[in-house]
Amino acid sequence: PDLTVAPALPYTYSSQPRSLLARPKYRAPPDAAQPEKEPRCCNIMRDPRVARGPALAIRLLPQSTQPNPIEIQKQKAAQKKALARKRAKEPIRPGTPEPVEGREHIYVQTELYLEEIRDRMLEADRECQTDDFLDRPPTPLFIPAKTGKDIATQIEEGELFDFDIEVKPILEVLIGKTVEQALLEVMEEEELAHLRAHQRAFIELRNAEFAELQRLEEQDRRIREEKERRRLEHLEKLRKQKETTEKIAARAFAKRYLADLIPSVFSNLYDSGFFYDFIERDIETEFLPWLMSEVEETLQKKVLGRIMLDSLIRTVVEKRLEAFSHPPEEPRPTDAAPQVSGETDAADQPVTEKEETDQPVAAE
């Protein structure tokens, strides 16, 4: 049902009504220039061409009589832009040469038809009714009406200007411009020829380098292929040689292994401890551990005795040092010699004892 074709119906088209645009009365010729369309504003309140404010409002003068410099600058910039745009649109015309010294130029009408120059042109209103969409007739040649009075002036030959003198600067400018343009064209042609020759040399050099590069790449490819082939052949040769060597070594090892199999088995069993002496085993497992424990206990006792003896000696030495550190009493004259000898003996005795005790410790 989705693919069924709908029955043919008459085609109708309708659009919303709209106002027609303002069109000219005559059709423009095909070669006429299209006038620029003015932008249309959709809202009259935003149209810049409509004056704002009531019609009877009083225009207030600005407070300051001096103009705003920013506005003056903007106006000057707008005038410069308009003048530049007008000069760009006007066709370029050759100017008049400067006047000879002592003379000046005045404005003279040189058109085909003279007309009177007025401050305000005469205007007149005319009306005419024509049918719509008529072809515009060709515009007749404009011939203004003759106005004013004809006045002639007689100028003798050589009075207004001397052609030989006036034409000299013009000829100099023309010849100079022509020579300059010719020189520029010649220089441009020489530069183009030099560029073409340089380009041809560069293309030839590039083609030669490209051919050399292709040759080197092909040579490198052949060398790499030959090297890879030689490497594969060498690897295959080494593999076969290694395989042959392994086979020979395996055969010799098998013969030697099978020849000494029984002695090696017995020697391995003996080394692993399967065959052992019972007395030796009993001594290693029972006697030697007991002996080592007893020796360790005896040594510990000796070390403990030596430590205690050292502590006693240190205590005695500290007490004697404290006793000698106090100031001694004044000795009697009869007892001075024996006390000194006793002190020397007492001072020498700990040193000898300490030396005797230190010797076994150092030896231990």
Side-chain angles (χ1 to χ4, degrees):
D2 296 338
L3 300 177
T4 56
V5 181
L9 297 176
Y11 176 79
T12 58
Y13 174 78
S14 62
S15 61
Q16 295 294 333
R18 57 190 177 84
S19 60
L20 297 176
L21 300 175
R23 293 181 296 180
K25 186 178 295 185
Y26 297 101
R27 285 200 296 266
D31 56 348
Q34 298 258 349
E36 297 182 358
K37 295 183 179 179
E38 295 181 356
R40 297 190 305 167
C41 186
C42 56
N43 191 355
I44 195 171
M45 297 300 294
R46 298 181 181 179
D47 193 350
R49 296 172 294 179
V50 179
R52 300 294 187 270
L56 301 178
I58 300 174
R59 302 294 180 180
L60 297 177
L61 296 176
Q63 296 179 0
S64 61
T65 57
Q66 296 181 355
N68 192 359
I70 300 176
E71 295 295 333
I72 294 174
Q73 188 176 3
K74 289 183 179 179
Q75 291 177 3
K76 289 182 179 180
Q79 291 177 0
K80 288 181 179 179
K81 289 183 178 179
L83 185 60
R85 195 180 300 110
K86 184 177 179 182
R87 289 178 179 177
K89 290 182 179 180
E90 290 180 355
I92 300 174
R93 297 180 180 178
T96 307
E98 295 296 330
V100 186
E101 185 178 358
R103 299 180 182 178
E104 60 180 358
H105 289 166
I106 60 172
Y107 178 73
V108 179
Q109 292 188 14
T110 57
E111 287 81 4
L112 183 61
Y113 301 99
L114 301 178
E115 60 178 329
E116 186 178 359
I117 299 175
R118 299 180 180 179
D119 295 339
R120 179 180 177 84
M121 301 298 296
L122 297 177
E123 299 177 357
D125 296 337
R126 297 287 185 271
E127 294 181 358
C128 137
Q129 181 67 33
T130 57
D131 297 335
D132 293 338
F133 302 105
L134 294 178
D135 293 337
R136 184 176 182 179
T139 304
L141 183 63
F142 174 72
I143 301 176
K146 185 176 180 182
T147 58
K149 299 179 180 179
D150 295 337
I151 298 175
T153 302
Q154 179 66 30
I155 299 174
E156 300 295 338
E157 185 177 357
E159 184 179 354
L160 186 60
F161 69 96
D162 190 357
F163 179 78
D164 295 336
I165 297 174
E166 299 292 340
V167 83
K168 186 176 180 180
I170 299 175
L171 289 177
E172 289 179 355
V173 172
L174 292 176
I175 293 171
K177 286 291 183 181
T178 305
V179 173
E180 183 181 1
Q181 187 67 25
L183 291 175
L184 289 176
E185 291 179 358
V186 171
M187 291 173 63
E188 184 179 0
E189 290 177 358
E190 290 181 355
E191 186 176 0
L192 290 175
H194 182 68
L195 289 176
R196 291 193 190 95
H198 185 69
Q199 186 177 6
R200 286 194 298 270
F202 175 74
I203 291 173
E204 291 177 358
L205 180 61
R206 186 183 63 180
N207 294 335
E209 291 179 354
F210 184 69
E212 184 67 17
L213 179 62
Q214 288 183 345
R215 187 184 66 80
L216 293 176
E217 287 179 355
E218 184 66 21
Q219 183 179 358
D220 188 16
R221 185 184 62 80
R222 291 197 301 269
I223 291 172
R224 281 190 284 103
E225 290 179 355
E226 182 67 22
K227 187 185 296 184
E228 185 69 19
R229 187 169 61 255
R230 295 288 181 86
R231 189 180 66 84
L232 294 176
E233 290 178 357
H234 184 66
L235 291 177
E236 184 67 20
K237 182 179 179 181
L238 291 178
R239 187 184 64 80
K240 291 182 179 180
Q241 186 177 358
K242 184 179 180 181
E243 185 178 355
T244 305
T245 306
E246 289 178 355
K247 287 181 180 180
I248 296 172
R251 185 170 178 274
F253 178 74
K255 285 184 177 182
R256 185 177 299 177
Y257 183 75
L258 293 175
D260 301 334
L261 181 60
I262 295 175
S264 63
V265 168
F266 279 103
S267 62
N268 289 334
L269 290 175
Y270 185 78
D271 294 337
S272 62
F274 189 77
F275 303 107
Y276 60 88
D277 190 1
F278 294 99
I279 298 172
E280 185 179 356
R281 176 63 63 86
D282 192 9
I283 291 172
E284 290 179 355
T285 57
E286 300 294 337
F287 178 72
L288 287 179
W290 173 81
L291 181 62
M292 294 301 294
S293 62
E294 292 295 331
V295 170
E296 186 176 358
E297 290 179 1
T298 305
L299 291 176
Q300 287 180 358
K301 290 179 181 180
K302 288 184 178 182
V303 171
L304 180 60
R306 289 181 182 277
I307 292 172
M308 293 178 67
L309 181 60
D310 292 340
S311 63
L312 290 174
I313 293 170
R314 185 182 298 106
T315 305
V316 172
V317 171
E318 289 177 356
K319 287 182 179 181
R320 289 188 177 184
L321 181 62
E322 290 178 0
F324 283 116
S325 62
H326 294 290
E329 297 178 359
E330 294 181 358
R332 294 177 182 179
T334 57
D335 299 337
Q339 288 179 358
V340 171
S341 62
E343 288 176 0
T344 55
D345 295 337
D348 295 335
Q349 184 177 0
V351 175
T352 55
E353 290 178 357
K354 187 174 182 181
E355 290 177 355
E356 291 175 359
T357 56
D358 291 336
Q359 290 177 358
V361 174
E364 186 179 359

